[in-house]
Amino acid sequence: MDESKSLNFIEQIIEEDLESGRHSTITTRFPPEPNGYLHLGHAKSICLNFGLAERYNGTCNLRFDDTNPEKEDVEYVDSIKEDVKWLGFNWNGEAHYASDYFDQLYEFAVELIKSGHAYIDDQTVDEMSTSRGTPTRPGKESPFRDRSVEENLELLEGMKSGEFAEGTRVLRAKIDMASPNMHMRDPVLYRIKHAEHHRTGATWFIYPTYDFAHGQSDSIEKVTHSLCTLEFEVHRPLYNWMIETLQIYPSRQIEFARLNLTYTVLSKRKLLQLVEEKRVTGWDDPRMPTISGIRRRGYTPNSIRNFADKIGIAKRDNLIDVALLEHSVREDLNKKSWRKLGILDPIKLIISNFPEDKIEYMQGINNPEDESAGKREIPFSKELYIERSDFMEDPPKKFFRLGPGREVRLKFAYIVQCVDFKKNSQGEIAEVHCTYDPATRSGSDTTGKKVKGTLGWVSAEHSIDAEIRLYDRLFLTEDLGAVDDDFKNHLNPKSLEVIESAKVESSLESATPGDQFQFERQGYFIVDNDSSEGKLVFNRTVSLRDNWAKGKP
RNA sequence: UGACCCAUGGUGUAACGGUAGCACUACAGAUUUUGGUUCUGUUAGUCAAGGUUCGAAUCCUUGUGGGUCAACCA
């Protein structure tokens, strides 16, 4: 189908492996630590791992890398599962956990000791840190490095049964303290933690480190291609050392560049700060780049998957323009959303020659991109609301909207001409007075009249009030990776503007949370969960492209 | 001041020794009862210098620039 599409470097590796017969099928995995909410960076990885499995008829596991109990929680496990499902992916079988393998991992540790490849080190954290050396200077071997197998086994057993206090000793691999790769200088394999684990409870007093758990878990699950981000590149020699030394299934680690987005932070640590310091309302604040945030904002699974597709996979560092993300939602929503009329900042428009009590029903096209969406009836009357920005007392030539004497079409309705306007005591426009031409009714216009502008409107009497939350980018700085002061200094103070009483068309009365619409000429909106009986709350997902606003100074 | 990784328009990403293509952005035009959509077009790129070759974005060397690594985090 997409034969013509060029392959990224990982797909090339996979196809080679398939062709050479090295693998007959592939297994990938998405391995989050359940210590926070997933964000767009994870979405890239999810789409990669699950997408590859789909494409090559393989399988993709969901595996929680839960080796650090203090930071982890089931709350995160649940949200991660929900987010993966929301993106439309199904993991193979049940979710897996590194903690499922704690017994096996312990056996591996015993094995390493027996073969002389691991030892218990009693040095303090500081001692170990100094003896590890620096990237430019080799480290020194620990004085405990040559303990006997028996003693090591005994001590490990002691660590396991909780005999020793936290921090008193660790299990280390015996590799090479002079290696130019810091990760090969006798890395820590097990540390003592007398902590409650969200799944294994209090059964363990020792927990494996990432380096001892991750690769082995891949191997246990017979993961063929273990994809991770570039910063793990230096761990690969260790990953392979474990496979060779333990003689276990040879999963292959392949690294790709993580996602960076303009005007966005994608780091669990920083996002956590925003939540904890209440700079946002929570992990699912619609301004957050978390999956739960963008979902609430109105981004669709489809738009995220398309986005992931467009940004590609490579090894070079990148900074993706957030405009590409916005393009992806607009593309998706344009095809699917039903159009509605909604006025964010209303002013009255009164049609002086329209009968006082008359109500006419206009035919509204639900979606010009999809004829099967059909039409709806929209009540039209003498008093309407239009957008404040659609009228100017003294408009420039290129302004295609209303001004004294000017004519515009009211969408799906009549052409009106402005004959007068009134201001309030603050000097703001309060009312615009027009006359309409009955012969210009939409669909049966006999005049052949052409106007430059078409305006949205709602009937004053029939429209319903709504709260609309307009979101803008959370940060003002394009490349937040390049700032050296506190990233929070770059927060956009106007990232949220709440409009308390917008006027929207009456057909929205039955809208429920999660429903998505386009307000014509405005943007895409989703009904928020904060909506209650009689009070709709909309989140603006993204505005429409606006070539007029762009041209203005 | 060591090891490893990376370098293609403004931003991403292809081209696998043989015409540098695609998407986004920007700009211009056409269509339009959304200043939306759609369509057409324009600007714009191989980090540098050497080398190999009939031919180099691609291979080699050197340089330059960027990134990663010194948690009992992942």
PDB file of all heavy atoms in Angstrom, chain A residues 481-513:
ATOM      1  N   GLY A 481      14.950  24.336  25.248  1.00  0.00           N
ATOM      2  CA  GLY A 481      16.125  23.541  25.566  1.00  0.00           C
ATOM      3  C   GLY A 481      17.372  24.404  25.623  1.00  0.00           C
ATOM      4  O   GLY A 481      18.390  24.021  26.191  1.00  0.00           O
ATOM      5  N   ALA A 482      17.292  25.585  25.045  1.00  0.00           N
ATOM      6  CA  ALA A 482      18.476  26.441  24.936  1.00  0.00           C
ATOM      7  C   ALA A 482      18.544  27.517  26.015  1.00  0.00           C
ATOM      8  O   ALA A 482      19.511  28.260  26.099  1.00  0.00           O
ATOM      9  CB  ALA A 482      18.508  27.094  23.555  1.00  0.00           C
ATOM     10  N   VAL A 483      17.515  27.606  26.860  1.00  0.00           N
ATOM     11  CA  VAL A 483      17.556  28.659  27.883  1.00  0.00           C
ATOM     12  C   VAL A 483      18.379  28.193  29.073  1.00  0.00           C
ATOM     13  O   VAL A 483      18.393  27.015  29.409  1.00  0.00           O
ATOM     14  CB  VAL A 483      16.141  29.065  28.351  1.00  0.00           C
ATOM     15  CG1 VAL A 483      15.276  29.448  27.166  1.00  0.00           C
ATOM     16  CG2 VAL A 483      15.470  27.962  29.148  1.00  0.00           C
ATOM     17  N   ASP A 484      19.076  29.113  29.697  1.00  0.00           N
ATOM     18  CA  ASP A 484      19.850  28.678  30.858  1.00  0.00           C
ATOM     19  C   ASP A 484      19.308  29.210  32.186  1.00  0.00           C
ATOM     20  O   ASP A 484      19.805  28.853  33.238  1.00  0.00           O
ATOM     21  CB  ASP A 484      21.342  28.971  30.703  1.00  0.00           C
ATOM     22  CG  ASP A 484      21.613  30.177  29.854  1.00  0.00           C
ATOM     23  OD1 ASP A 484      20.860  31.168  29.976  1.00  0.00           O
ATOM     24  OD2 ASP A 484      22.550  30.131  29.055  1.00  0.00           O
ATOM     25  N   ASP A 485      18.268  30.022  32.100  1.00  0.00           N
ATOM     26  CA  ASP A 485      17.607  30.384  33.361  1.00  0.00           C
ATOM     27  C   ASP A 485      16.439  29.419  33.588  1.00  0.00           C
ATOM     28  O   ASP A 485      16.243  28.476  32.826  1.00  0.00           O
ATOM     29  CB  ASP A 485      17.115  31.843  33.314  1.00  0.00           C
ATOM     30  CG  ASP A 485      16.147  32.091  32.171  1.00  0.00           C
ATOM     31  OD1 ASP A 485      16.265  31.410  31.141  1.00  0.00           O
ATOM     32  OD2 ASP A 485      15.271  32.959  32.316  1.00  0.00           O
ATOM     33  N   ASP A 486      15.682  29.651  34.635  1.00  0.00           N
ATOM     34  CA  ASP A 486      14.552  28.792  34.974  1.00  0.00           C
ATOM     35  C   ASP A 486      13.517  28.809  33.847  1.00  0.00           C
ATOM     36  O   ASP A 486      13.073  29.883  33.431  1.00  0.00           O
ATOM     37  CB  ASP A 486      13.923  29.299  36.281  1.00  0.00           C
ATOM     38  CG  ASP A 486      12.835  28.363  36.795  1.00  0.00           C
ATOM     39  OD1 ASP A 486      12.353  27.509  36.018  1.00  0.00           O
ATOM     40  OD2 ASP A 486      12.484  28.487  37.977  1.00  0.00           O
ATOM     41  N   PHE A 487      13.159  27.629  33.378  1.00  0.00           N
ATOM     42  CA  PHE A 487      12.208  27.570  32.252  1.00  0.00           C
ATOM     43  C   PHE A 487      10.886  28.240  32.598  1.00  0.00           C
ATOM     44  O   PHE A 487      10.171  28.707  31.722  1.00  0.00           O
ATOM     45  CB  PHE A 487      11.981  26.119  31.815  1.00  0.00           C
ATOM     46  CG  PHE A 487      11.101  25.309  32.720  1.00  0.00           C
ATOM     47  CD1 PHE A 487       9.776  25.049  32.374  1.00  0.00           C
ATOM     48  CD2 PHE A 487      11.573  24.803  33.916  1.00  0.00           C
ATOM     49  CE1 PHE A 487       8.947  24.308  33.209  1.00  0.00           C
ATOM     50  CE2 PHE A 487      10.757  24.059  34.758  1.00  0.00           C
ATOM     51  CZ  PHE A 487       9.447  23.815  34.405  1.00  0.00           C
ATOM     52  N   LYS A 488      10.577  28.334  33.882  1.00  0.00           N
ATOM     53  CA  LYS A 488       9.304  28.925  34.273  1.00  0.00           C
ATOM     54  C   LYS A 488       9.278  30.450  34.074  1.00  0.00           C
ATOM     55  O   LYS A 488       8.213  31.049  34.067  1.00  0.00           O
ATOM     56  CB  LYS A 488       8.977  28.557  35.725  1.00  0.00           C
ATOM     57  CG  LYS A 488       8.742  27.042  35.882  1.00  0.00           C
ATOM     58  CD  LYS A 488       8.127  26.648  37.203  1.00  0.00           C
ATOM     59  CE  LYS A 488       9.029  26.794  38.406  1.00  0.00           C
ATOM     60  NZ  LYS A 488      10.403  26.316  38.293  1.00  0.00           N
ATOM     61  N   ASN A 489      10.460  31.007  33.894  1.00  0.00           N
ATOM     62  CA  ASN A 489      10.509  32.442  33.562  1.00  0.00           C
ATOM     63  C   ASN A 489       9.937  32.706  32.169  1.00  0.00           C
ATOM     64  O   ASN A 489       9.673  33.848  31.824  1.00  0.00           O
ATOM     65  CB  ASN A 489      11.952  32.961  33.571  1.00  0.00           C
ATOM     66  CG  ASN A 489      12.561  32.891  34.958  1.00  0.00           C
ATOM     67  OD1 ASN A 489      11.834  32.806  35.945  1.00  0.00           O
ATOM     68  ND2 ASN A 489      13.880  32.919  35.022  1.00  0.00           N
ATOM     69  N   HIS A 490       9.792  31.646  31.407  1.00  0.00           N
ATOM     70  CA  HIS A 490       9.377  31.817  30.017  1.00  0.00           C
ATOM     71  C   HIS A 490       7.906  31.508  29.788  1.00  0.00           C
ATOM     72  O   HIS A 490       7.435  31.461  28.661  1.00  0.00           O
ATOM     73  CB  HIS A 490      10.254  30.934  29.107  1.00  0.00           C
ATOM     74  CG  HIS A 490      11.702  31.282  29.194  1.00  0.00           C
ATOM     75  ND1 HIS A 490      12.341  32.037  28.238  1.00  0.00           N
ATOM     76  CD2 HIS A 490      12.633  31.018  30.140  1.00  0.00           C
ATOM     77  CE1 HIS A 490      13.610  32.204  28.585  1.00  0.00           C
ATOM     78  NE2 HIS A 490      13.814  31.592  29.742  1.00  0.00           N
ATOM     79  N   LEU A 491       7.201  31.285  30.895  1.00  0.00           N
ATOM     80  CA  LEU A 491       5.773  30.993  30.820  1.00  0.00           C
ATOM     81  C   LEU A 491       5.017  32.154  30.174  1.00  0.00           C
ATOM     82  O   LEU A 491       5.329  33.324  30.412  1.00  0.00           O
ATOM     83  CB  LEU A 491       5.250  30.776  32.238  1.00  0.00           C
ATOM     84  CG  LEU A 491       4.726  29.456  32.788  1.00  0.00           C
ATOM     85  CD1 LEU A 491       4.813  28.285  31.853  1.00  0.00           C
ATOM     86  CD2 LEU A 491       5.357  29.152  34.125  1.00  0.00           C
ATOM     87  N   ASN A 492       4.023  31.827  29.385  1.00  0.00           N
ATOM     88  CA  ASN A 492       3.187  32.832  28.752  1.00  0.00           C
ATOM     89  C   ASN A 492       2.074  33.236  29.718  1.00  0.00           C
ATOM     90  O   ASN A 492       1.220  32.421  30.042  1.00  0.00           O
ATOM     91  CB  ASN A 492       2.583  32.239  27.465  1.00  0.00           C
ATOM     92  CG  ASN A 492       1.617  33.191  26.774  1.00  0.00           C
ATOM     93  OD1 ASN A 492       1.486  34.352  27.177  1.00  0.00           O
ATOM     94  ND2 ASN A 492       0.966  32.713  25.736  1.00  0.00           N
ATOM     95  N   PRO A 493       2.094  34.476  30.199  1.00  0.00           N
ATOM     96  CA  PRO A 493       1.069  34.880  31.168  1.00  0.00           C
ATOM     97  C   PRO A 493      -0.335  34.872  30.566  1.00  0.00           C
ATOM     98  O   PRO A 493      -1.321  34.843  31.290  1.00  0.00           O
ATOM     99  CB  PRO A 493       1.493  36.294  31.574  1.00  0.00           C
ATOM    100  CG  PRO A 493       2.383  36.767  30.473  1.00  0.00           C
ATOM    101  CD  PRO A 493       3.035  35.553  29.882  1.00  0.00           C
ATOM    102  N   LYS A 494      -0.410  34.888  29.256  1.00  0.00           N
ATOM    103  CA  LYS A 494      -1.736  34.909  28.623  1.00  0.00           C
ATOM    104  C   LYS A 494      -2.069  33.573  27.954  1.00  0.00           C
ATOM    105  O   LYS A 494      -2.764  33.542  26.940  1.00  0.00           O
ATOM    106  CB  LYS A 494      -1.783  36.026  27.576  1.00  0.00           C
ATOM    107  CG  LYS A 494      -1.659  37.406  28.180  1.00  0.00           C
ATOM    108  CD  LYS A 494      -1.940  38.479  27.129  1.00  0.00           C
ATOM    109  CE  LYS A 494      -1.287  39.787  27.526  1.00  0.00           C
ATOM    110  NZ  LYS A 494      -0.428  40.327  26.456  1.00  0.00           N
ATOM    111  N   SER A 495      -1.587  32.498  28.539  1.00  0.00           N
ATOM    112  CA  SER A 495      -1.838  31.197  27.901  1.00  0.00           C
ATOM    113  C   SER A 495      -3.284  30.753  28.027  1.00  0.00           C
ATOM    114  O   SER A 495      -3.722  29.846  27.353  1.00  0.00           O
ATOM    115  CB  SER A 495      -0.916  30.128  28.487  1.00  0.00           C
ATOM    116  OG  SER A 495      -1.118  30.022  29.883  1.00  0.00           O
ATOM    117  N   LEU A 496      -4.025  31.404  28.917  1.00  0.00           N
ATOM    118  CA  LEU A 496      -5.451  31.077  29.053  1.00  0.00           C
ATOM    119  C   LEU A 496      -6.272  32.342  29.158  1.00  0.00           C
ATOM    120  O   LEU A 496      -5.991  33.214  29.973  1.00  0.00           O
ATOM    121  CB  LEU A 496      -5.690  30.224  30.313  1.00  0.00           C
ATOM    122  CG  LEU A 496      -7.151  30.023  30.731  1.00  0.00           C
ATOM    123  CD1 LEU A 496      -7.953  29.312  29.642  1.00  0.00           C
ATOM    124  CD2 LEU A 496      -7.239  29.249  32.030  1.00  0.00           C
ATOM    125  N   GLU A 497      -7.278  32.444  28.283  1.00  0.00           N
ATOM    126  CA  GLU A 497      -8.224  33.552  28.388  1.00  0.00           C
ATOM    127  C   GLU A 497      -9.616  32.944  28.482  1.00  0.00           C
ATOM    128  O   GLU A 497     -10.014  32.164  27.623  1.00  0.00           O
ATOM    129  CB  GLU A 497      -8.137  34.464  27.149  1.00  0.00           C
ATOM    130  CG  GLU A 497      -9.045  35.673  27.243  1.00  0.00           C
ATOM    131  CD  GLU A 497      -9.219  36.373  25.891  1.00  0.00           C
ATOM    132  OE1 GLU A 497      -8.445  36.088  24.968  1.00  0.00           O
ATOM    133  OE2 GLU A 497     -10.148  37.183  25.775  1.00  0.00           O
ATOM    134  N   VAL A 498     -10.307  33.276  29.555  1.00  0.00           N
ATOM    135  CA  VAL A 498     -11.636  32.703  29.746  1.00  0.00           C
ATOM    136  C   VAL A 498     -12.695  33.705  29.323  1.00  0.00           C
ATOM    137  O   VAL A 498     -12.707  34.843  29.777  1.00  0.00           O
ATOM    138  CB  VAL A 498     -11.868  32.311  31.223  1.00  0.00           C
ATOM    139  CG1 VAL A 498     -13.270  31.726  31.397  1.00  0.00           C
ATOM    140  CG2 VAL A 498     -10.821  31.308  31.670  1.00  0.00           C
ATOM    141  N   ILE A 499     -13.558  33.284  28.430  1.00  0.00           N
ATOM    142  CA  ILE A 499     -14.694  34.109  28.030  1.00  0.00           C
ATOM    143  C   ILE A 499     -15.913  33.565  28.748  1.00  0.00           C
ATOM    144  O   ILE A 499     -16.332  32.426  28.525  1.00  0.00           O
ATOM    145  CB  ILE A 499     -14.890  34.055  26.503  1.00  0.00           C
ATOM    146  CG1 ILE A 499     -13.672  34.689  25.827  1.00  0.00           C
ATOM    147  CG2 ILE A 499     -16.165  34.744  26.104  1.00  0.00           C
ATOM    148  CD1 ILE A 499     -13.707  34.623  24.329  1.00  0.00           C
ATOM    149  N   GLU A 500     -16.463  34.365  29.642  1.00  0.00           N
ATOM    150  CA  GLU A 500     -17.541  33.871  30.493  1.00  0.00           C
ATOM    151  C   GLU A 500     -18.867  33.724  29.754  1.00  0.00           C
ATOM    152  O   GLU A 500     -19.613  32.791  29.986  1.00  0.00           O
ATOM    153  CB  GLU A 500     -17.746  34.810  31.697  1.00  0.00           C
ATOM    154  CG  GLU A 500     -16.514  34.999  32.577  1.00  0.00           C
ATOM    155  CD  GLU A 500     -16.244  33.798  33.481  1.00  0.00           C
ATOM    156  OE1 GLU A 500     -17.066  32.857  33.486  1.00  0.00           O
ATOM    157  OE2 GLU A 500     -15.199  33.798  34.173  1.00  0.00           O
ATOM    158  N   SER A 501     -19.159  34.688  28.897  1.00  0.00           N
ATOM    159  CA  SER A 501     -20.482  34.602  28.270  1.00  0.00           C
ATOM    160  C   SER A 501     -20.425  34.804  26.773  1.00  0.00           C
ATOM    161  O   SER A 501     -20.755  35.859  26.259  1.00  0.00           O
ATOM    162  CB  SER A 501     -21.437  35.603  28.905  1.00  0.00           C
ATOM    163  OG  SER A 501     -20.874  36.894  28.839  1.00  0.00           O
ATOM    164  N   ALA A 502     -20.026  33.760  26.131  1.00  0.00           N
ATOM    165  CA  ALA A 502     -20.105  33.729  24.683  1.00  0.00           C
ATOM    166  C   ALA A 502     -21.525  33.297  24.322  1.00  0.00           C
ATOM    167  O   ALA A 502     -22.261  32.779  25.157  1.00  0.00           O
ATOM    168  CB  ALA A 502     -19.097  32.738  24.134  1.00  0.00           C
ATOM    169  N   LYS A 503     -21.907  33.549  23.082  1.00  0.00           N
ATOM    170  CA  LYS A 503     -23.257  33.170  22.642  1.00  0.00           C
ATOM    171  C   LYS A 503     -23.110  32.130  21.534  1.00  0.00           C
ATOM    172  O   LYS A 503     -22.431  32.385  20.543  1.00  0.00           O
ATOM    173  CB  LYS A 503     -23.997  34.388  22.076  1.00  0.00           C
ATOM    174  CG  LYS A 503     -24.079  35.572  23.034  1.00  0.00           C
ATOM    175  CD  LYS A 503     -25.115  35.334  24.100  1.00  0.00           C
ATOM    176  CE  LYS A 503     -25.249  36.585  24.984  1.00  0.00           C
ATOM    177  NZ  LYS A 503     -26.181  36.338  26.108  1.00  0.00           N
ATOM    178  N   VAL A 504     -23.713  30.977  21.743  1.00  0.00           N
ATOM    179  CA  VAL A 504     -23.598  29.940  20.728  1.00  0.00           C
ATOM    180  C   VAL A 504     -24.967  29.492  20.254  1.00  0.00           C
ATOM    181  O   VAL A 504     -25.972  29.700  20.939  1.00  0.00           O
ATOM    182  CB  VAL A 504     -22.795  28.725  21.249  1.00  0.00           C
ATOM    183  CG1 VAL A 504     -21.401  29.161  21.679  1.00  0.00           C
ATOM    184  CG2 VAL A 504     -23.516  28.032  22.401  1.00  0.00           C
ATOM    185  N   GLU A 505     -25.014  28.894  19.089  1.00  0.00           N
ATOM    186  CA  GLU A 505     -26.309  28.560  18.500  1.00  0.00           C
ATOM    187  C   GLU A 505     -27.050  27.507  19.304  1.00  0.00           C
ATOM    188  O   GLU A 505     -26.450  26.656  19.962  1.00  0.00           O
ATOM    189  CB  GLU A 505     -26.169  28.173  17.020  1.00  0.00           C
ATOM    190  CG  GLU A 505     -25.714  26.769  16.763  1.00  0.00           C
ATOM    191  CD  GLU A 505     -25.776  26.415  15.272  1.00  0.00           C
ATOM    192  OE1 GLU A 505     -25.039  27.030  14.472  1.00  0.00           O
ATOM    193  OE2 GLU A 505     -26.531  25.493  14.918  1.00  0.00           O
ATOM    194  N   SER A 506     -28.368  27.576  19.244  1.00  0.00           N
ATOM    195  CA  SER A 506     -29.213  26.803  20.143  1.00  0.00           C
ATOM    196  C   SER A 506     -29.082  25.294  19.957  1.00  0.00           C
ATOM    197  O   SER A 506     -29.315  24.535  20.882  1.00  0.00           O
ATOM    198  CB  SER A 506     -30.682  27.209  19.955  1.00  0.00           C
ATOM    199  OG  SER A 506     -31.013  27.126  18.584  1.00  0.00           O
ATOM    200  N   SER A 507     -28.688  24.855  18.786  1.00  0.00           N
ATOM    201  CA  SER A 507     -28.580  23.400  18.569  1.00  0.00           C
ATOM    202  C   SER A 507     -27.516  22.772  19.458  1.00  0.00           C
ATOM    203  O   SER A 507     -27.450  21.559  19.613  1.00  0.00           O
ATOM    204  CB  SER A 507     -28.250  23.111  17.102  1.00  0.00           C
ATOM    205  OG  SER A 507     -26.941  23.546  16.804  1.00  0.00           O
ATOM    206  N   LEU A 508     -26.668  23.598  20.070  1.00  0.00           N
ATOM    207  CA  LEU A 508     -25.610  23.079  20.931  1.00  0.00           C
ATOM    208  C   LEU A 508     -26.131  22.662  22.312  1.00  0.00           C
ATOM    209  O   LEU A 508     -25.407  22.068  23.100  1.00  0.00           O
ATOM    210  CB  LEU A 508     -24.531  24.159  21.095  1.00  0.00           C
ATOM    211  CG  LEU A 508     -23.181  24.052  20.390  1.00  0.00           C
ATOM    212  CD1 LEU A 508     -23.039  22.853  19.481  1.00  0.00           C
ATOM    213  CD2 LEU A 508     -22.845  25.310  19.661  1.00  0.00           C
ATOM    214  N   GLU A 509     -27.379  22.972  22.542  1.00  0.00           N
ATOM    215  CA  GLU A 509     -27.965  22.679  23.840  1.00  0.00           C
ATOM    216  C   GLU A 509     -27.751  21.232  24.262  1.00  0.00           C
ATOM    217  O   GLU A 509     -27.539  20.919  25.425  1.00  0.00           O
ATOM    218  CB  GLU A 509     -29.475  22.950  23.782  1.00  0.00           C
ATOM    219  CG  GLU A 509     -30.044  23.483  25.058  1.00  0.00           C
ATOM    220  CD  GLU A 509     -31.261  24.368  24.780  1.00  0.00           C
ATOM    221  OE1 GLU A 509     -31.860  24.238  23.690  1.00  0.00           O
ATOM    222  OE2 GLU A 509     -31.593  25.199  25.638  1.00  0.00           O
ATOM    223  N   SER A 510     -27.800  20.343  23.293  1.00  0.00           N
ATOM    224  CA  SER A 510     -27.696  18.911  23.608  1.00  0.00           C
ATOM    225  C   SER A 510     -26.260  18.399  23.575  1.00  0.00           C
ATOM    226  O   SER A 510     -26.018  17.197  23.704  1.00  0.00           O
ATOM    227  CB  SER A 510     -28.542  18.124  22.604  1.00  0.00           C
ATOM    228  OG  SER A 510     -28.127  18.454  21.290  1.00  0.00           O
ATOM    229  N   ALA A 511     -25.302  19.307  23.416  1.00  0.00           N
ATOM    230  CA  ALA A 511     -23.904  18.871  23.342  1.00  0.00           C
ATOM    231  C   ALA A 511     -23.444  18.297  24.670  1.00  0.00           C
ATOM    232  O   ALA A 511     -23.865  18.743  25.732  1.00  0.00           O
ATOM    233  CB  ALA A 511     -23.016  20.038  22.945  1.00  0.00           C
ATOM    234  N   THR A 512     -22.581  17.292  24.609  1.00  0.00           N
ATOM    235  CA  THR A 512     -22.071  16.692  25.843  1.00  0.00           C
ATOM    236  C   THR A 512     -20.542  16.677  25.808  1.00  0.00           C
ATOM    237  O   THR A 512     -19.938  16.769  24.734  1.00  0.00           O
ATOM    238  CB  THR A 512     -22.578  15.251  26.017  1.00  0.00           C
ATOM    239  OG1 THR A 512     -22.244  14.518  24.834  1.00  0.00           O
ATOM    240  CG2 THR A 512     -24.082  15.219  26.217  1.00  0.00           C
ATOM    241  N   PRO A 513     -19.922  16.559  26.992  1.00  0.00           N
ATOM    242  CA  PRO A 513     -18.461  16.600  27.061  1.00  0.00           C
ATOM    243  C   PRO A 513     -17.802  15.661  26.048  1.00  0.00           C
ATOM    244  O   PRO A 513     -18.229  14.517  25.890  1.00  0.00           O
ATOM    245  CB  PRO A 513     -18.164  16.158  28.501  1.00  0.00           C
ATOM    246  CG  PRO A 513     -19.334  16.677  29.257  1.00  0.00           C
ATOM    247  CD  PRO A 513     -20.511  16.489  28.337  1.00  0.00           C
TER     248      PRO A 513
END
